[in-house]
Amino acid sequence: MKNSFKKLIEVKITGRNLERFIKRLLRNNISLLRIKKINKECVHVLIHSKDLEKIEEIKTIYEIEVIRNHGLLKIKELINKNKILLIFLALGYSILLLLSHTIFSVEVVHTDKELRDLLLTELSSYGITKYKFKKDYKQLTNIKNEILDTYKDKIEWLEIEESGTKYIVRVEERILNKENSDDG
């Protein structure tokens, strides 16, 4: 497990009298991590990537072929191979995040058109309009409280509800009771 993230290469060595070549590799301090004999003239050997140049210098009649990479080299190879896919995945995810944090409509639920228009203009002054970024819960409660404080005489209750990419504003109008004066 210690060698799992090092730069390792599996090479295929072909030629006659492979035992003698393997002994020569060991004499030259090349660490052979795994040796797998395929047949009499072919061996698969797992080595460090830095030892590949030494093997290329030592070889005489033997053929050396890199079969596959292991560890960090394999991860780097996979990233290079799938570079375009990874770029488009990251781009798609960022577009998804951008679109899901954007307001696409603001709807005020009330029968009085003047009150609806008043709330829409007030919300737009706080940055809650189409194609703007959504506000977090704390900002929404602050905006709601400020609107309620500003229009104490017109608005009884106000709720800003987030539904997907839409804000639904529910409002109750304050009904002021007029005192009846009896001129009797």
Side-chain angles (χ1 to χ4, degrees):
M1 197 66 192
K2 195 160 87 173
N3 293 328
S4 64
F5 286 114
K6 291 187 178 179
K7 298 178 180 180
L8 303 175
I9 297 176
E10 187 172 340
V11 294
K12 176 181 173 184
I13 303 172
T14 54
R16 291 188 183 150
N17 203 356
L18 290 173
E19 292 82 18
R20 185 173 57 167
F21 184 65
I22 290 174
K23 287 179 186 176
R24 190 183 321 158
L25 293 177
L26 292 173
R27 277 194 307 261
N28 286 309
N29 294 327
I30 297 175
S31 58
L32 306 175
L33 303 173
R34 185 176 64 210
I35 301 172
K36 183 178 175 185
K37 188 172 185 179
I38 304 300
N39 58 32
K40 188 177 177 183
E41 297 181 349
C42 180
V43 173
H44 289 189
V45 178
L46 186 67
I47 59 169
H48 293 282
S49 62
K50 63 182 179 186
D51 293 335
L52 184 62
E53 291 179 19
K54 291 180 187 176
I55 292 176
E56 290 289 338
E57 291 174 4
I58 294 172
K59 75 171 187 164
T60 52
I61 58 169
Y62 302 98
E63 291 183 26
I64 309 293
E65 179 184 346
V66 176
I67 297 173
R68 69 177 68 93
N69 295 322
H70 293 275
L72 289 177
L73 290 175
K74 185 171 186 172
I75 293 170
K76 187 176 179 181
E77 179 183 321
L78 284 173
I79 289 173
N80 283 336
K81 189 183 235 184
N82 299 315
K83 188 180 349 181
I84 293 174
L85 176 69
L86 292 173
I87 289 171
F88 279 108
L89 278 174
L91 185 66
Y93 184 70
S94 61
I95 289 172
L96 177 72
L97 282 178
L98 177 74
L99 290 177
S100 66
H101 286 84
T102 304
I103 302 170
F104 285 104
S105 70
V106 178
E107 180 182 330
V108 178
V109 180
H110 197 270
T111 55
D112 188 14
K113 183 166 176 31
E114 289 179 19
L115 188 60
R116 279 186 291 182
D117 292 339
L118 173 74
L119 277 174
L120 285 174
T121 56
E122 194 65 30
L123 288 172
S124 67
S125 69
Y126 287 108
I128 298 178
T129 58
K130 273 182 147 182
Y131 310 120
K132 299 279 183 160
F133 287 113
K134 290 181 181 178
K135 309 286 184 192
D136 63 351
Y137 181 76
K138 190 175 183 181
Q139 288 175 326
L140 284 178
T141 54
N142 288 341
I143 291 170
K144 180 180 80 168
N145 290 334
E146 287 179 20
I147 291 174
L148 284 173
D149 289 341
T150 307
Y151 298 103
K152 292 179 197 174
D153 56 337
K154 290 186 179 183
I155 299 173
E156 177 77 30
W157 171 78
L158 177 71
E159 178 187 3
I160 303 173
E161 179 183 327
E162 180 180 328
S163 175
T165 58
K166 178 180 186 179
Y167 278 138
I168 300 172
V169 181
R170 301 183 195 285
V171 64
E172 276 297 317
E173 187 175 10
R174 183 176 294 264
I175 300 172
L176 297 174
N177 292 333
K178 294 180 183 176
E179 294 182 19
N180 293 334
S181 59
D182 288 337
D183 294 333

